[in-house]
Amino acid sequence: VVSFSHPSVAEGLLLIECLFTLEVNKDVKPYLTSNLIRTVIGEDIRDYTNLLSHEKINLTKEFVKQEVAKQIIKAKRKELESLIKISQKQADKPSQAFIEQSLENVRQILGTEIQRLRSLSKVNPNVRAEEIEYFSNKLSLVESSIESAALRLDGLRVLVAV
């Protein structure tokens, strides 16, 4: 739990900053266009993500004493759980965009390689059908893995405006 100040945020407002990643097979990571989604949601259910960058928060942050942090979390547990759910819904929108961009990316990279090998096989008998099949199978597997990517909450920070 940290406290921070910002002129556009009311004093005493509780917020959470969440960091989500897309959980995919490690072989797929090179094809992801992005893997991190950040949200900042206030207990007033407003989205503060664009207003409060990570850097802006860190400029004025002060760590709350551990005992006080425990009291805040205990007192606001239900609100925090609700904010996490709202935050996850907010993160779903950009995650779908990342998935679509990643699919385009993998289709461009592997599709180009498949097409190159097919063209080359017409003039070069040393290009085997197994090579083309390998990249076609890889494309199918990577597409499937990207399409089934799931959001995972990787980090959470409780913020109190002062």
Side-chain angles (χ1 to χ4, degrees):
V1 178
V2 297
S3 65
F4 76 102
S5 63
H6 190 280
S8 300
V9 181
E11 287 185 22
L13 184 68
L14 181 78
L15 305 100
I16 59 165
E17 177 183 36
C18 294
L19 299 176
F20 296 92
T21 56
L22 285 172
E23 198 166 25
V24 293
N25 183 315
K26 67 178 175 143
D27 298 331
V28 174
K29 286 186 181 181
Y31 303 105
L32 289 179
T33 53
S34 181
N35 198 25
L36 183 67
I37 300 167
R38 177 180 168 273
T39 62
V40 180
I41 307 293
E43 66 182 327
D44 59 357
I45 317 299
R46 286 187 45 212
D47 183 356
Y48 289 86
T49 307
N50 294 329
L51 178 66
L52 299 172
S53 70
H54 189 72
E55 294 76 22
K56 282 183 183 175
I57 294 169
N58 285 343
L59 283 175
T60 63
K61 79 172 183 195
E62 289 187 28
F63 290 99
V64 173
K65 292 180 181 178
Q66 190 173 6
E67 198 59 38
V68 175
K70 285 179 183 178
Q71 290 172 353
I72 291 170
I73 292 170
K74 186 176 180 181
K76 297 286 189 170
R77 184 172 196 86
K78 286 188 179 192
E79 289 91 337
L80 291 170
E81 289 171 355
S82 175
L83 290 175
I84 290 169
K85 289 177 185 173
I86 293 166
S87 201
Q88 184 143 15
K89 285 181 185 173
Q90 285 292 112
D92 277 337
K93 296 171 192 168
S95 75
Q96 291 306 312
F98 290 154
I99 288 170
E100 290 302 317
Q101 291 169 349
S102 298
L103 285 170
E104 286 178 30
N105 190 37
V106 73
R107 289 174 183 145
Q108 173 66 33
I109 293 168
L110 294 178
T112 300
E113 183 62 14
I114 292 166
Q115 188 58 42
R116 184 188 74 78
L117 288 171
R118 285 183 179 148
S119 297
L120 190 58
S121 71
K122 293 176 184 174
V123 294
N124 184 347
N126 291 326
V127 177
R128 298 175 311 202
E130 293 85 20
E131 292 175 276
I132 298 169
E133 188 177 326
Y134 167 79
F135 281 103
S136 294
N137 290 340
K138 184 173 183 173
L139 176 59
S140 294
L141 289 171
V142 170
E143 282 177 329
S144 176
S145 184
I146 290 173
E147 287 169 349
S148 64
L151 272 180
R152 180 182 73 214
L153 179 62
D154 259 8
L156 177 116
R157 180 164 65 164
V158 178
L159 310 166
V160 180
V162 292

